[in-house]
Amino acid sequence: MSRLKIAGVAAALLAIYGSWLLLRDAPLFAVQKVAVVGLHGPQAPTIRTTLEDSARGMTTTHLDLSRLRAAVASFAVVRDVRARTEFPHGVRIQVIEELPVAALVAAGQRLPVAADGKIVRGIGSAPDVAAIAVDQLPGGSRISDPLSIEAVELLDIAPPVLRARVAQVTDGAAHGLTAALRGGPALYFGDTTRLHAKWAAVARVLADPASRGAVYLDVHAPDHPAAQVGDPQTSVAAARAPGTAAGALVTGAAPGG
């Protein structure tokens, strides 16, 4: 192909590309209808309005997701934003919220925390998640004290159905990391090693009918969980008897943590 022909083809392609750039931002495809889903909490109206205003500055042939994300970057409750066009004039925006797994508690105040340690402001006190008592609420964007980090890790790994039952996580000298279940026993984890195996042991023990009424479950050694059922002064034998809620209920090897 001659240089003249190559130049002609290049010029034609540039013209087509230029025409497309003009067409994609044309008022003919302006966004007029915006649907925002996935929002909850007190900041929802403000976030929704912010996204609607940002989207209405676009067209359905040129939807800029980075601009939408930047528009709500200051809202801690927003983890991500996804969007799709509904040609010719509609946009549907899905907000992925930062869901808390715990709440730091100090001086009667609760501060929600996400699984990655991010402080989630603007969603209220998150009364349904587990409490972690601290001396002072952090002022930054993430948790930093060791207890909070370990407690959040413990809750993040927990099966959702059990996490929802945890009322509080503490760290004591006698039993280490401890989760107190609503309407159930205290769970002694010790530390954060083998957490997957420890939660699996908790689930197996609680599923056994013999565990009903247990005061605590000790999963320091997840392959050999133990529990206290009834008065510790009168149930020492039960606390170590295989095949009861207090004994080692696992007959096979427990999964690794």
Side-chain angles (χ1 to χ4, degrees):
M1 184 180 293
S2 67
R3 291 183 179 180
L4 185 59
K5 289 183 178 180
I6 293 174
V9 170
L13 291 175
L14 286 173
I16 293 172
Y17 180 66
S19 298
W20 164 245
L21 289 179
L22 291 174
L23 182 62
R24 72 173 188 176
D25 294 322
L28 178 65
F29 302 111
V31 172
Q32 297 175 4
K33 299 178 181 179
V34 183
V36 181
V37 298
L39 283 171
H40 307 86
Q43 287 189 314
T46 303
I47 296 172
R48 179 176 290 105
T49 299
T50 301
L51 287 170
E52 289 173 347
D53 291 344
S54 181
R56 287 197 175 97
M58 305 177 192
T59 64
T60 53
T61 51
H62 188 196
L63 185 64
D64 191 340
L65 189 56
S66 63
R67 279 176 55 191
L68 293 176
R69 287 172 173 156
V72 293
S74 62
F75 296 97
V77 69
V78 178
R79 185 175 65 182
D80 196 9
V81 172
R82 299 170 186 172
R84 72 169 188 263
T85 56
E86 296 178 342
F87 199 78
H89 299 294
V91 171
R92 182 179 177 85
I93 301 173
Q94 180 183 8
V95 176
I96 310 300
E97 291 184 317
E98 196 75 79
L99 299 178
V101 297
L104 305 183
V105 180
Q109 294 183 303
R110 290 173 62 94
L111 189 61
V113 183
D116 61 357
K118 180 182 177 182
I119 304 296
V120 188
R121 305 180 192 276
I123 62 169
S125 62
D128 296 330
V129 298
I132 304 171
V134 294
D135 294 331
Q136 185 177 2
L137 296 180
S141 60
R142 307 186 71 83
I143 58 175
S144 59
D145 67 287
L147 169 60
S148 297
I149 292 173
E150 290 185 352
V152 167
E153 181 183 358
L154 174 74
L155 292 165
D156 179 36
I157 291 175
V161 66
L162 289 177
R163 183 194 306 140
R165 291 184 58 190
V166 177
Q168 185 176 27
V169 178
T170 58
D171 189 8
H175 304 292
L177 208 56
T178 300
L181 296 184
R182 297 182 181 92
L187 310 177
Y188 300 153
F189 289 87
D191 55 30
T192 56
T193 60
R194 299 190 66 193
L195 281 180
H196 288 284
K198 290 176 179 179
W199 275 114
V202 168
R204 286 194 299 274
V205 173
L206 291 178
D208 191 295
S211 70
R212 192 169 300 161
V215 179
Y216 69 77
L217 303 182
D218 190 331
V219 291
H220 280 71
D223 298 329
H224 303 284
Q228 176 65 57
V229 180
D231 187 342
Q233 299 301 318
T234 61
S235 59
V236 173
R240 301 191 181 280
T244 73
L249 302 182
V250 186
T251 57

